[in-house]
Amino acid sequence: MTVESLIALIPALPLAGFLFAILLGARIDRLPAHGHDAHGAAHADDHGSHSGHGGESHDTHAEVDESAFRPIPSEEEQRATSPHAGHADDLANSNGADGVIPDDLNDGLGQTGHVVEGGPRPVYRSWWVPTALVAVMWLFSMVVFVNVIFGGQTYHVSLYEWIGSGSFHVQIAFLVDGLTAMLLLVVSTVGLLVHVYSIGYMDGDRGLWRFFAYLNLFMFSMLLLILGDNFLMLYVGWEAVGLCSYALIGFWYKKPSAAGAAKKAFIVNRVGDFGFGLGIMMIWTLLGTVDFEQVFASIGTLDPTAVTVIALLLFAGAVGKSAQFPLHVWLPDAMEGPTPVSALIHAATMVNAGVYMVARANPIFAESPVAMWVVASIGVFTAIFAAAIALTQNDIKKVLAYSTVSQLAYMFFALGIGAWVAAIFHLVSHGFFKGLLFMGSGSVIHGAAGEQDMRFMGGLRAKMLWTYLTMVVGSLALAGIPIFAGFFSKDEILGEAFGRGYYLFWAVGLLVAFMTAFYTFRMVYMTFHGRWRGPADAWQHVHESAPTMVAPLVILAVPTILIGLLLGLPPEGGLIHGWLEEVFRGAEEAGAGILPGSLAAGDHAGFSLFGIGGLLLLAGAAVGAAGILLAYRWYVRDPEAPARFVTRIPLGLGPGMYAASLNKYYVDDLYALVWARGGVLLGNALWWVDAKVIDGAVNGAGWVAQRYGALLRRSQTGHVQNYALGMAAGLVVVLVAFLVFRA
Amino acid sequence: MVDDLSAILPELALTALVLAVLTIDLFLRREDKWLLTPITVIGLGFVGYTCWTVWGVNQTVFAGFYRVDDLSVFFKVATVVIGILAALFAPSYLAQRKLPLGEFNVILLFSLSGMFVLASSSDLITLFIGLELMVMPAYLLAGFHKTDRYSNEGGLKYFLLGSFASAILLFGISWTYGLTHSTRLSEIGGLLTDGGAAGLIAIAMLTVGSTFKAAAVPFHYWTPDAYQGAPTPLTGFLSVGPKLGAFALLVRVFGDGLGLSGADWYGVMAVLAVLTMTGGNIVALAQTNVKRMLAYSSIAHTGYILAGLAAFAHATDPGVRTQGIEAILFYVLGYGVMNIAAFSVVGMLQRDPRRFGGLSAFAGLAGRAPVLAAAMAVLLLSLTGIPPTVGFFAKLYVLVATVDAGVAWLAVAIALNAALAAFYYLRVIVYMYMREPEADPAPIDRSPLTAFALALSVAGILLLGLFPDPIISFVRASAAGLL
């Protein structure tokens, strides 16, 4: 089998998995728990007369299962017994996705299995075909990856002409170069591990088939996005991953907060996608093609202003998809989805799409200094902004969500200053370690009876050793401690910023690195160290997660430790630079990102260990260590210290600053006020117009249509002689019409 | 150049098949009758294969009465496709009602042979013979359920009104002959246009006679009654087969014959198109019986296709003119597959003969038979014109043709009508997926043959929606044969 055919099969496999799960998944899941082989039985069941719709029909096993959930204390009870009851408003923020759902909502849609031993429980098996297909897809991806990276090949696989209408031609074609291969590595690896992880995490959920169907559809869409060789395929994948993200955030759709978060994610993304769509249309209008190669070859012929507009419109899409300020608000809320979804979509893959797109479109951005400047500025600002929010969040997933926003911002910052390779390097390493951290947090939540608020955790390392160890590895990577992946990629970005003369950006980046280390280890210490602060009886149930969940953590820990060493040494000249050289050559030569006031391209000295580069490396490691140290002092040695520190901030600004950070700098509230409230007002006004004017017209038209319909129906008398008369009349009318038209 | 007999190889093959089926039927025992279906289907497959032997021949034979061009090949291939689907869909339904399979196959094949002749005629006489050969068996199919009074009534009405329309058409042909002294399609065009008012009267009669067969408003009265009475899978055939023939007729008469005088008949054709699509849709809105709703919606589809003919008439640029014909060809084929399958799904829910295929029969179907519901959903989405189905490209083709021809108002009318139609098509999907099933749900016919045919149609609809290119090139090449 040639590599080309493997490439074509890569997106096809998850698509097959999706079709399988959506068509047969519900049937497989409805089989009796201790029944026969899943496959044969699925067909034997062909004539079953199932009542209800979709997969939500009730069977006896599921009914028993519901009662099994009850012994877990509900969130209300926890709140009442907790010493921190006064912070109820904060708790409302952490209305956990994986938290225990009130019984009236739990019809099997809203719970990850947490089943008391002994009770009979349903065994849902619809996961295995989708997972197996993704595993095969992973194998293929690795073959392609090796061929591209080590064989130095670029593959262009053209399947067929999708649209060929007049001058508008779009191919279904795949382009696999170094950049796509790097993305392929992350997407397929994390994708496979999340599938395996979900088997354990979603165990006992009645919507299992739906979950795996969506996951596979997501994999398909994401692969389309990174493999497509033109902007239209990129756009299709882009929208499709957005759709899957919507479906998966709102997976437990009976929970209002999840349904709301799903809508929020979808709507906020619409804003960016609108710009993205306009950008692509503009490309086609001006250049007459959407094919990457052709667009990039001819972009230089355009007016610079037009290029800037195109680049900014494209970037608007990236701001939405990669959750950058001011469209970052959806990502933290997206944590309402099941944690595997957060790990896959909202940390390791989909949110990287914006970074990928900007990197892919580097010839366009390289032509526009203004656009580069905007990318870098948004990146730097979002990095520190999101990190400042992450400092005070109490929900373990929210900390990671803001951290993701901040780290993505790092990548945009790197793209904006022209450090293309560094950005992709950080994307890859971040994909692995953030996926690891999210899955680890899921394991924590799973083990701690659905608790997500870190103030009610503590001491978990005693019961969850594997989760603890792997989470620490991930955290060290995120904090930028030497030898771990994050250290090399982050310091490469900082080094490039310094080397290119962006001293202010470099300083902010360094500060963000410090904050990152601090909040990461604040999370680790609050969760795993100290004493258990949750309800005493819940401690009994705390346990290490199932092997299917722990194994992906351990596997992901390997690249988290190694990938920086393998790809990033020596700094600014590691293997990854060779792999991606071809993709970014044009942009590098154009000197993109070199703004007036910064050093010229030629002055960029490159890395030297015993020179300025070594010092920068040292500084990066030092701030990481300092952040961890501070977190240790504040959250292990002296838990009163943070409160004291807040009061000690001059001018009495401390509590205000704390509240601002905790409340995410009120951006959500501002949006709620302006867009939601304003939207309601505008909506009411429009509604009035709609009800009185439009509906009047529509109802009028409907009334006319119905009247007309009734009239016509009446003409259908059933009497042949009437019909014949009608036809004769029609003949006369046609005759007259011919004569009239002629005259 | 090929000789006359080689040129009509497909017709000969089909006729041989009819005779073979007729004969074999006599010698089969009752329990072996099912063999007729594979014989018919494989035979039709062979007939379809013979069509390729005359691809690219492009010549008139039999002293100019008959014309074998790529356009006729397209219509023949489409006929074979529809014939195969009809032969696959019907047996299970017929068996449940103890209706004779042999007669059905023979009548079906006769009707197909009429469509073959129609597609290849280059003379008004051949045209008329082909037409009658096509519709006579169709009358029989409408009244095929001999013990059912609705079927009888529908068949009789179809026959009476059809004869009436044929008389008008024949009258138009005699006027034409009187004015031009010719029945040759290639000769009447210019002469009729010079014929003044009398020529227009002839054209008007030809218009009425041929649009009747396509079920255009206001000549559609027979449609709902005939469609409702006929056994459901046969309705599926009636709603696409004779319609395919009717458009072959329209393309021959108006494209071949009167093509140059398009400005004369463009206006009437455009108005008929709008009347037809709007009338069909509005009445379909009011239906609660899915079978009847599909009957009315098939009228609406006639309107969309007529718009392609109007675009052809209005355009002046040759490329744009053929685009109108291409749109018609693409639409009839795509529509044929999806409509025959949609009717058959209704038939599958009539396993119990007392059920009439009302909307309530579809309630909760997604829970009872998820695959069937999904298939029906695809069919309905395709009929609505939503990508990635063939229905989308069919509508798109017509829209592009009308816009390019400079009759954008027709495109607007089509778009508005598609929105109307979406309401009643999607309503069925709502019933299937969002309503609870009835207390006593209609039993579902799960015969493997029907399921196979359904799978074939749905796969075709999706595949052609995703990869429309081969069919588009086929359509292009065929339409090029016209000019």
Side-chain angles (χ1 to χ4, degrees):
Chain A
M1 211 186 266
T2 60
V3 177
E4 279 84 357
S5 51
L6 287 187
I7 291 172
L9 277 174
I10 284 173
L13 286 167
L15 183 64
F18 162 71
L19 292 175
F20 176 87
I22 210 85
L23 290 177
L24 293 177
R27 287 189 169 208
I28 294 174
D29 279 353
R30 269 195 236 114
L31 301 178
H34 307 291
H36 8 282
D37 161 61
H39 229 56
H43 297 296
D45 194 35
D46 215 24
H47 292 266
S49 59
H50 298 292
S51 62
H53 44 83
E56 276 80 63
S57 77
H58 294 247
D59 60 42
T60 46
H61 291 281
E63 230 98 52
V64 175
D65 183 44
E66 253 173 68
S67 61
F69 289 127
R70 290 214 175 89
I72 318 297
S74 77
E75 200 159 324
E76 271 75 19
E77 283 165 341
Q78 286 190 4
R79 208 173 291 173
T81 54
S82 87
H84 299 268
H87 290 294
D89 52 336
D90 304 343
L91 263 169
N93 290 335
S94 64
N95 180 12
D98 303 279
V100 176
I101 291 162
D103 275 347
D104 56 328
L105 287 176
N106 184 5
D107 65 342
L109 288 163
Q111 183 54 287
T112 58
H114 191 88
V115 182
V116 175
E117 292 77 19
R121 45 183 270 174
V123 180
Y124 296 136
R125 284 160 297 199
S126 53
W127 51 264
W128 81 266
V129 172
T131 309
L133 286 169
V134 170
V136 177
M137 184 278 291
W138 179 81
L139 267 179
F140 289 2
S141 298
M142 288 307 105
V143 173
V144 173
F145 177 80
V146 167
N147 271 290
V148 172
I149 294 297
F150 299 105
Q153 289 257 30
T154 295
Y155 292 99
H156 209 130
V157 185
S158 198
L159 287 190
Y160 65 98
E161 183 168 59
W162 179 27
I163 301 172
S165 163
S167 56
F168 187 50
H169 289 270
V170 183
Q171 299 274 330
I172 292 288
F174 301 127
L175 171 70
V176 188
D177 58 2
L179 178 59
T180 299
M182 295 313 294
L183 265 289
L184 201 57
L185 173 72
V186 179
V187 170
S188 54
T189 309
V190 179
L192 174 60
L193 291 173
V194 163
H195 272 76
V196 174
Y197 180 86
S198 302
I199 298 167
Y201 194 88
M202 301 303 289
D203 183 28
D205 194 298
R206 214 177 295 170
L208 195 75
W209 62 279
R210 208 158 46 87
F211 186 79
F212 275 92
Y214 290 155
L215 270 194
N216 270 37
L217 185 62
F218 171 79
M219 292 303 291
F220 165 70
S221 318
M222 189 70 207
L223 290 165
L224 211 60
L225 192 161
I226 59 173
L227 289 171
D229 92 322
N230 57 62
F231 277 103
L232 201 67
M233 278 181 76
L234 174 65
Y235 187 73
V236 169
W238 186 276
E239 292 298 321
V241 290
L243 174 70
C244 298
S245 159
Y246 166 80
L248 283 165
I249 295 169
F251 180 71
W252 290 317
Y253 56 82
K254 297 220 171 170
K255 204 171 71 167
S257 59
K263 271 188 282 185
K264 186 170 176 179
F266 199 72
I267 293 168
V268 172
N269 264 299
R270 228 66 347 250
V271 179
D273 290 359
F274 183 64
F276 187 39
L278 281 182
I280 294 174
M281 288 181 220
M282 198 163 157
I283 288 174
W284 187 75
T285 319
L286 294 178
L287 295 174
T289 176
V290 289
D291 185 81
F292 284 147
E293 278 176 5
Q294 293 172 16
V295 169
F296 298 155
S298 53
I299 193 79
T301 62
L302 289 184
D303 176 46
T305 324
V307 177
T308 300
V309 173
I310 289 175
L312 289 178
L313 284 172
L314 294 181
F315 183 58
V319 167
K321 191 67 68 195
S322 295
Q324 296 298 292
F325 183 84
L327 298 180
H328 65 284
V329 290
W330 66 270
L331 185 59
D333 285 32
M335 299 300 132
E336 289 289 343
T339 306
V341 172
S342 310
L344 177 64
I345 301 185
H346 305 121
T349 55
M350 184 187 84
V351 288
N352 289 336
V355 180
Y356 165 75
M357 189 263 286
V358 174
R360 173 57 75 199
N362 66 76
I364 298 180
F365 282 85
E367 290 282 323
S368 169
V370 180
M372 293 292 276
W373 184 81
V374 170
V375 173
S377 308
I378 294 260
V380 169
F381 177 74
T382 311
I384 190 158
F385 177 80
I389 296 175
L391 292 177
T392 58
Q393 296 301 309
N394 290 318
D395 182 317
I396 186 168
K397 283 179 76 180
K398 288 269 161 81
V399 174
L400 289 173
Y402 280 104
S403 156
T404 304
V405 174
S406 172
Q407 295 300 310
L408 288 166
Y410 243 89
M411 298 171 208
F412 281 111
F413 158 40
L415 292 170
I417 61 169
W420 308 100
V421 179
I424 299 301
F425 185 20
H426 197 52
L427 184 156
V428 173
S429 66
H430 175 257
F432 284 123
F433 67 68
K434 191 53 73 62
L436 166 62
L437 283 172
F438 262 112
M439 289 196 234
S441 78
S443 174
V444 166
I445 295 163
H446 200 75
E451 182 57 69
Q452 276 183 245
D453 194 319
M454 297 190 297
R455 285 169 301 174
F456 308 128
M457 295 180 183
L460 288 178
R461 66 178 157 165
K463 289 204 173 188
M464 308 178 78
L465 185 63
W466 282 107
T467 306
Y468 170 66
L469 288 177
T470 49
M471 280 280 276
V472 167
V473 168
S475 300
L476 288 169
L478 178 55
I481 298 303
I483 87 148
F484 294 98
F487 170 74
F488 293 97
S489 53
K490 183 183 289 184
D491 275 276
E492 196 154 326
I493 295 175
L494 290 174
E496 295 245 15
F498 194 88
R500 289 166 194 252
Y502 296 89
Y503 300 118
L504 179 65
F505 285 0
W506 170 78
V508 175
L510 205 61
L511 180 60
V512 172
F514 170 73
M515 290 157 83
T516 307
F518 173 75
Y519 68 65
T520 311
F521 274 85
R522 171 178 174 268
M523 175 190 79
V524 171
Y525 291 138
M526 283 179 83
T527 312
F528 291 105
H529 290 248
R531 296 171 56 80
W532 172 252
R533 295 181 294 276
D537 54 342
W539 178 247
Q540 311 300 322
H541 298 296
V542 174
H543 59 87
E544 181 61 287
S545 303
T548 48
M549 292 171 65
V550 176
L553 296 178
V554 177
I555 294 170
L556 269 182
V558 175
T560 303
I561 296 171
L562 290 182
I563 206 160
L565 291 169
L566 291 178
L567 302 187
L569 276 179
E572 298 185 42
L575 277 175
I576 191 166
H577 284 264
W579 297 347
L580 294 177
E581 192 186 14
E582 198 60 38
V583 181
F584 298 119
R585 176 174 290 158
E588 296 276 7
E589 278 170 6
I594 308 295
L595 288 176
S598 72
L599 299 179
D603 296 346
H604 182 35
F607 181 79
S608 59
L609 186 58
F610 297 103
I612 193 85
L615 279 178
L616 292 175
L617 217 58
L618 217 56
V623 292
I628 295 175
L629 209 63
L630 185 66
Y632 181 70
R633 285 189 53 178
W634 279 15
Y635 291 94
V636 181
R637 291 246 319 266
D638 184 7
E640 303 301 317
R644 274 208 310 278
F645 175 73
V646 167
T647 56
R648 247 188 255 152
I649 295 177
L651 301 174
L653 289 174
M657 285 168 67
Y658 179 77
S661 167
L662 191 63
N663 288 303
K664 307 162 240 168
Y665 294 100
Y666 302 106
V667 174
D668 286 77
D669 305 79
L670 182 71
Y671 286 178
L673 193 69
V674 177
W675 301 119
R677 188 74 59 78
V680 168
L681 282 179
L682 180 68
N684 279 338
L686 290 177
W687 172 75
W688 187 86
V689 174
D690 190 55
K692 302 289 174 196
V693 183
I694 314 269
D695 274 8
V698 170
N699 289 339
W703 183 80
V704 170
Q706 271 188 352
R707 273 302 148 111
Y708 181 51
L711 211 69
L712 275 188
R713 250 174 96 162
R714 215 174 304 155
S715 74
Q716 197 76 32
T717 54
H719 297 292
V720 181
Q721 58 271 39
N722 291 359
Y723 294 171
L725 188 67
M727 286 170 56
L731 172 63
V732 173
V733 171
V734 168
L735 272 172
V736 173
F738 263 115
L739 295 171
V740 170
F741 271 113
R742 184 64 177 277
Chain B
M1 290 294 282
V2 294
D3 60 281
D4 289 359
L5 284 181
S6 322
I8 59 161
L9 187 61
E11 284 82 352
L12 294 176
L14 184 57
T15 316
L17 179 65
V18 182
L19 298 176
V21 173
L22 193 60
T23 320
I24 294 171
D25 182 33
L26 296 176
F27 294 100
L28 284 180
R29 283 172 303 163
R30 190 174 294 276
E31 59 271 25
D32 294 335
K33 295 276 191 199
W34 62 269
L35 273 170
L36 291 169
T37 298
I39 291 171
T40 309
V41 170
I42 293 167
L44 277 174
F46 176 72
V47 172
Y49 168 75
T50 60
C51 289
W52 293 113
T53 61
V54 292
W55 174 259
V57 167
N58 287 322
Q59 68 184 56
T60 50
V61 289
F62 293 108
F65 276 94
Y66 212 68
R67 178 169 173 175
V68 181
D69 57 4
D70 293 347
L71 187 68
S72 70
V73 174
F74 177 88
F75 275 117
K76 285 171 195 169
V77 171
T79 302
V80 165
V81 170
I82 286 167
I84 288 177
L85 286 178
L88 287 174
F89 273 125
S92 158
Y93 188 96
L94 297 178
Q96 284 150 26
R97 285 158 182 76
K98 301 199 166 43
L99 295 174
L101 186 61
E103 287 173 30
F104 162 73
N105 280 328
V106 170
I107 298 174
L108 173 73
L109 291 173
F110 268 125
S111 186
L112 298 183
S113 65
M115 288 154 71
F116 269 44
V117 174
L118 197 50
S120 271
S121 350
S122 58
D123 190 285
L124 287 171
I125 303 294
T126 344
L127 203 71
F128 188 76
I129 292 172
L131 181 68
E132 290 304 296
L133 183 52
M134 172 184 81
V135 291
M136 288 291 177
Y139 304 147
L140 290 178
L141 287 181
F144 198 69
H145 200 172
K146 277 175 280 191
T147 54
D148 181 77
R149 53 177 284 258
Y150 291 108
S151 188
N152 281 326
E153 183 186 327
L156 191 64
K157 280 179 182 166
Y158 191 11
F159 168 66
L160 286 174
L161 295 171
S163 310
F164 186 46
S166 293
I168 295 174
L169 183 69
L170 206 50
F171 200 26
I173 291 175
S174 16
W175 273 71
T176 308
Y177 181 69
L179 286 165
T180 64
H181 303 289
S182 169
T183 52
R184 220 32 68 80
L185 283 171
S186 52
E187 290 165 8
I188 59 169
L191 295 169
L192 265 191
T193 327
D194 304 334
L200 289 177
I201 290 171
I203 298 179
M205 300 233 214
L206 292 176
T207 310
V208 173
S210 45
T211 50
F212 169 90
K213 304 294 176 192
V217 174
F219 314 111
H220 67 287
Y221 292 108
W222 57 277
T223 323
D225 293 6
Y227 285 6
Q228 193 173 15
T232 312
L234 274 50
T235 310
F237 172 73
L238 290 180
S239 75
V240 300
K243 193 165 285 186
L244 177 73
F247 276 98
L249 171 76
L250 279 164
V251 168
R252 282 297 175 206
V253 173
F254 288 88
D256 252 357
L258 304 170
L260 292 174
S261 58
D264 285 337
W265 50 270
Y266 147 72
V268 170
M269 210 51 88
V271 171
L272 277 180
V274 174
L275 270 184
T276 305
M277 60 181 100
T278 317
N281 276 328
I282 283 180
V283 188
L285 277 179
Q287 304 300 322
T288 52
N289 182 308
V290 179
K291 194 172 169 185
R292 216 167 156 85
M293 175 205 88
L294 285 175
Y296 278 108
S297 94
S298 80
I299 298 177
H301 285 285
T302 298
Y304 305 140
I305 310 176
L306 279 179
L309 198 59
F312 164 80
H314 193 260
T316 43
D317 176 64
V320 181
R321 281 166 78 84
T322 35
Q323 216 173 19
I325 300 295
E326 288 163 19
I328 294 174
L329 301 186
F330 193 99
Y331 208 111
V332 275
L333 180 60
Y335 159 84
V337 175
M338 60 204 184
N339 218 45
I340 198 168
F343 268 112
S344 302
V345 174
V346 178
M348 288 167 83
L349 293 176
Q350 293 177 307
R351 185 149 178 259
D352 177 353
R354 285 161 302 167
R355 306 272 183 166
F356 289 104
L359 255 182
S360 53
F362 284 85
L365 192 65
R368 298 201 295 135
V371 179
L372 179 64
M376 185 63 176
V378 171
L379 294 172
L380 290 165
L381 291 176
S382 183
L383 284 165
T384 317
I386 289 171
T389 58
V390 74
F392 166 73
F393 280 102
K395 279 223 174 60
L396 185 70
Y397 221 133
V398 176
L399 286 174
V400 170
T402 45
V403 171
D404 284 356
V407 277
W409 66 273
L410 255 181
V412 173
I414 294 171
L416 288 175
N417 265 289
L420 268 185
F423 172 75
Y424 58 77
Y425 286 132
L426 298 183
R427 184 167 55 184
V428 179
I429 298 187
V430 168
Y431 265 80
M432 290 196 300
Y433 283 88
M434 295 171 194
R435 295 285 158 88
E436 291 299 320
E438 299 170 293
D440 167 33
I444 298 167
D445 174 18
R446 289 177 191 269
S447 106
L449 192 65
T450 319
F452 169 69
L454 187 61
L456 211 61
S457 329
V458 170
I461 283 167
L462 287 176
L463 279 179
L464 292 183
L466 290 169
F467 312 89
D469 247 17
I471 204 80
I472 287 178
S473 357
F474 182 30
V475 159
R476 285 223 173 110
S478 312
L482 183 71
L483 296 179

